[in-house]
Amino acid sequence: MSNVSPPLIKPITLGNGPRAVTLETPVILAPLSGVTDLPFRALAKSLGAGLVVSEMIASWAMVRENRNTMRMAEVVAGGGPSSVQLAGCEPDAMAEAARIAVANGADLIDINFGCPVKKVAVGQAAGSALMRDEILAGKILAATVGAVDVPVTLKMRMGWDHNSLNAPTLARIAEASGIAMVTVHGRTRQQFYEGVADWDFIASVKNAVKIPLIVNGDITTEAKAAEALRRSGADGVMIGRGAYGRPWFLKQVADYLLTGAHTAPPTLAAQKEILLRHYAAIRAHFGEKGGVRLARKHVSWYSHGLRGSAAFRAQMNRLDNGAAVEALIDAFYDPLIESGFIRQDEMALAA
């Protein structure tokens, strides 16, 4: 029997008026640099993600309408809302970038106060660095909210380090600035992705504000999603690395939080078809040469846990022709499908 008392999530409405956005199932695909490109977001959305968020977009590059940046900021048409995440340290540039993103179809704007990467947080004084300057942070939040007629959200960490856990304070500043929802990753900037996400601390952020809050960090199973919600008191979950190689996972999480029942993952044959669909979309979006290269990490994630996957990945990573990779995928997956192979983690669910 499930230990979930359903439902643990309910719809969230952000904003007011004609541009208000309702998240019917607040199980959100996190913005992930180099991962949540348009093909991945479109696939996750089609498989049941409640909201998808673009890779982090530099506001100055958006304002200059850099070609690659504009491609990164493309939104997924249909099937629920899409968000564009912006980063920057200049209020005017963030405001203008938000206007451009909305003009190009964004339903939501998300502001990044969480990126821990040195190039962003130190070199550009953006991302998680803004948690160290609450005055500037407030100006950026207010300028962005004032620039657009769609809801604006915020993603941040607990603080710069464990000596400055100011996420509750910044959440109050965000709420006063008109931010519609806050997401908190349960680590500090100095932790990067090490250690364990502190879902209990996120409860202090939830208690500081009245706007919806989303918990993020280490949500890799349905049970962890439920536990993160219980311990944080959050209104929804954001999933990042847990979706690597399984874009269907967000729907599984949503089903579990709504009903308390586990939804079986796609069959291995269906997983192969999803992989091939994803692979074709990457090549179409980025071109043959770039697409084959960029797709390697995704193909590797899909194959994780399958018998013989290490040798498959080694061979796949040496190929630079998309058709050859597709033939290799057939040769690898088809015998496993015919033999009825099931991953160990999927066996546990079946039992």
Side-chain angles (χ1 to χ4, degrees), residues 169-342:
T169 300
L170 271 171
R172 285 190 288 266
I173 293 170
E175 184 175 41
S177 301
I179 292 295
M181 182 175 75
V182 172
T183 298
V184 181
H185 183 124
R187 289 181 173 85
T188 67
R189 184 270 171 178
Q190 298 296 63
Q191 285 181 281
F192 286 81
Y193 296 98
E194 300 299 321
V196 177
D198 190 343
W199 301 327
D200 297 310
F201 174 84
I202 296 175
S204 68
V205 188
K206 174 62 178 174
N207 292 334
V209 294
K210 295 180 180 178
I211 57 176
L213 181 137
I214 304 297
V215 60
N216 175 227
D218 294 350
I219 299 174
T220 55
T221 68
E222 294 100 315
K224 285 184 177 181
E227 184 68 14
L229 284 175
R230 289 196 189 96
R231 286 167 52 184
S232 67
D235 302 284
V237 297
M238 178 175 279
I239 296 171
R241 289 173 290 174
Y244 285 9
R246 48 177 187 163
W248 53 82
F249 177 59
L250 289 94
K251 180 64 163 57
Q252 290 181 282
V253 169
D255 288 346
Y256 185 69
L257 297 178
L258 287 168
T259 70
H262 289 286
T263 300
T267 65
L268 191 56
Q271 290 179 29
K272 176 197 167 190
E273 291 307 309
I274 292 169
L275 164 56
L276 288 172
R277 176 177 153 198
H278 190 184
Y279 193 72
I282 292 172
R283 290 162 63 199
H285 187 67
F286 292 103
E288 182 70 14
K289 183 177 180 181
V292 168
R293 184 179 67 252
L294 287 168
R296 286 172 180 163
K297 58 177 173 283
H298 291 284
V299 178
S300 295
W301 292 328
Y302 279 105
S303 68
H304 178 75
L306 296 178
R307 186 173 60 230
S309 60
F312 163 73
R313 288 190 291 271
Q315 187 175 356
M316 181 267 300
N317 286 332
R318 291 193 295 267
L319 298 175
D320 57 9
N321 178 275
V325 173
E326 289 183 340
L328 181 64
I329 290 170
D330 286 338
F332 172 66
Y333 272 84
D334 288 353
L336 294 173
I337 292 167
E338 290 172 11
S339 70
F341 182 87
I342 301 175

Side-chain angles (χ1 to χ4, degrees), residues 130-139 141 166-167 169-170 173:
L130 289 163
M131 298 195 72
R132 305 174 80 182
D133 190 339
E134 293 172 4
I135 293 175
L136 178 58
K139 290 178 180 178
L141 295 169
N166 63 334
T169 300
L170 271 171
I173 293 170

